Amino acid sequence: HAIRLLIECKDLLTTGSICYPSSEVELLRRIRFGEVTETWVIEEAGRRIEECRDLASSCTLLPEVIDRDAISRVVSGCYLSEWEIQGEI
């Protein structure tokens, strides 16, 4: 999950959005199926964390202040929709 989240972080900081499927879907599959070592994943995560920190320091695509109420409404709506589909509400 760490590498996927860091890929999404980079997407968000460089494009202002997160794309699905991931631009690095093949890498994520290799990780999932154990084709890379745990050590490699940890080192790669560290490298990507630094990359995201660097990008965040100069990013102008994202607002300085977020609208927490708007985000809460969107997230709540997603949960409610899924629960309705699953017949849980």
Side-chain angles (χ1 to χ4, degrees), residues 14-28:
T14 57
T15 68
S17 64
I18 298 171
C19 81
Y20 294 101
S22 170
S23 59
E24 298 190 50
V25 68
E26 190 54 41
L27 171 62
L28 296 173

Side-chain angles (χ1 to χ4, degrees), residues 67-82:
D67 184 342
R68 290 184 183 273
D69 290 335
I71 292 170
S72 182
R73 285 191 299 276
V74 169
V75 171
S76 296
C78 290
Y79 276 110
L80 288 171
S81 294
E82 183 60 26

Side-chain angles (χ1 to χ4, degrees), residues 10-74:
K10 180 181 177 184
D11 285 348
L12 189 59
L13 292 169
T14 57
T15 68
S17 64
I18 298 171
C19 81
Y20 294 101
S22 170
S23 59
E24 298 190 50
V25 68
E26 190 54 41
L27 171 62
L28 296 173
R29 285 185 181 136
R30 290 180 56 226
I31 293 169
R32 173 176 278 205
F33 294 114
E35 296 174 10
V36 297
T37 66
E38 181 179 357
T39 300
W40 183 89
V41 171
I42 292 168
E43 290 172 356
E44 183 66 8
R47 186 188 70 73
R48 287 175 184 257
I49 287 169
E50 288 304 314
E51 179 181 34
C52 287
R53 281 186 182 143
D54 290 344
L55 289 168
S57 68
S58 62
C59 179
T60 59
L61 297 172
L62 304 177
E64 287 290 322
V65 178
I66 61 169
D67 184 342
R68 290 184 183 273
D69 290 335
I71 292 170
S72 182
R73 285 191 299 276
V74 169

